[in-house]
């Protein structure tokens, strides 16, 4: 990933915060059949933070190729930035559109897991993560045991041992303060981003 100095994101807490808040990942690897791209939620292991885990369908041929190097891409907030927002447009007109965004690449070694207990813990963790905050959160306890057994036979766990995290936070950091403030106002007035997303896309670190 090309990372000009103003946009390089190396702060570990900000990288982790991006993964935690945007866990739906693109998992990229290369096997015997060539490049593969899968899309699935991946959670960070709470104890160490350097392992990502989730699951895929057993029918997915990805897991049959065995361990391999892989890349998980997590996309944070992103938005178009109009040159009409810039003070420079009125001063000299030498402005062009751009796109602000936050992305994290997790490089590591991918392995596949068939252990039933591991799979149950994985499904339970994913369920708890995405049901939290609901008025009546659903839990695995509500599903019949034989159904869950069948579920575990139909999936395979994926675990990415992270060797390197690389982030890019393109948020107009290379612009003068007046332009950055104009971008903030433009994003806010455009009403396509939440307040937190506006902050991140105009320079604040994810937290």
């Amino acid at each position: 990933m090309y990372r000009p100095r103003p946009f390089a994101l190396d702060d570990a807490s900000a990288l982790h915060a991006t993964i935690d808040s945007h866990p739906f990942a693109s998992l990229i690897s290369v096997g015997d059949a060539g490049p593969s791209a899968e899309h699935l939620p991946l959670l960070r292991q709470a104890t160490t933070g350097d392992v990502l885990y989730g699951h895929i369908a057993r029918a997915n041929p990805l897991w049959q190729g065995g361990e391999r190097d892989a890349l998980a891409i997590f996309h944070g907030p992103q938005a178009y930035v109009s040159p009409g927002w810039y003070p420079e447009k009125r001063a000299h007109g030498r402005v062009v559109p751009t796109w602000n965004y936050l992305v994290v690449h997790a490089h590591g070694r991918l392995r596949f897991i068939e252990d039933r207990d591991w799979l149950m813990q994985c499904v339970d963790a994913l369920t708890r993560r995405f049901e939290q905050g609901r008025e009546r959160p659903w839990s695995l306890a509500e599903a019949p045991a034989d159904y869950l057994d069948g579920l575990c036979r139909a999936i395979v766990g994926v675990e990415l041992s992270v060797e390197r995290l690389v982030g890019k936070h393109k948020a107009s950091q290379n612009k003068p303060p007046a332009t950055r403030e104009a971008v903030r106002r433009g994003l806010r007035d455009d009403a396509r981003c939440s307040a937190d997303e506006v902050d991140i896309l105009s320079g604040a670190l994810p937290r």
Side-chain angles (χ1 to χ4, degrees):
M1 175 169 58
Y2 174 57
R3 298 198 310 160
R5 187 182 299 275
F7 307 143
L9 178 61
D10 298 309
D11 181 272
S13 61
L15 293 167
H16 290 162
T18 301
I19 292 172
D20 293 342
S21 59
H22 297 83
F24 192 72
S26 297
L27 181 62
I28 314 298
S29 65
V30 179
D32 294 339
S36 169
E38 301 296 335
H39 308 278
L40 70 163
L42 293 173
L43 299 183
R44 270 193 324 125
Q45 191 176 78
T47 52
T48 63
D50 59 359
V51 173
L52 301 169
Y53 64 94
H55 64 79
I56 58 174
R58 181 171 289 274
N60 189 325
L62 174 69
W63 72 278
Q64 297 170 0
E67 289 193 18
R68 71 196 68 175
D69 293 332
L71 165 66
I73 302 175
F74 298 87
H75 291 274
Q78 52 81 27
Y80 172 76
V81 176
S82 171
W85 299 341
Y86 292 174
E88 294 89 339
K89 175 185 178 293
R90 295 182 293 277
H92 49 65
R94 294 190 293 273
V95 292
V96 293
T98 191
W99 209 280
N100 281 3
Y101 60 92
L102 171 65
V103 68
V104 173
H105 289 189
H107 299 259
R109 190 70 178 170
L110 183 66
R111 73 184 187 104
F112 303 95
I113 302 169
E114 298 182 74
D115 179 75
R116 181 194 179 280
D117 291 341
W118 189 99
L119 290 168
M120 283 295 296
Q121 291 173 11
C122 174
V123 173
D124 183 56
L126 287 162
T127 301
R128 290 176 182 272
R129 165 65 175 82
F130 299 114
E131 287 288 329
Q132 68 182 2
R134 295 180 181 274
E135 184 177 351
R136 302 176 66 179
W138 183 87
S139 72
L140 291 187
E142 298 180 54
D146 60 342
Y147 175 77
L148 295 177
D149 286 340
L151 169 69
C152 287
R153 290 192 295 271
I155 62 175
V156 173
V158 297
E159 188 176 81
L160 183 69
S161 297
V162 179
E163 299 167 358
R164 184 163 59 101
L165 278 181
V166 180
K168 186 173 182 179
H169 180 205
K170 184 176 178 294
S172 302
Q173 299 98 321
N174 58 333
K175 302 294 185 183
T179 302
R180 295 178 67 179
E181 180 56 33
V183 169
R184 175 187 291 274
R185 289 195 303 270
L187 290 168
R188 184 189 62 219
D189 295 344
D190 203 30
R192 301 184 191 186
C193 301
S194 69
D196 287 344
E197 290 172 333
V198 168
D199 286 344
I200 290 171
L201 292 173
S202 56
L205 283 179
R207 56 189 187 276

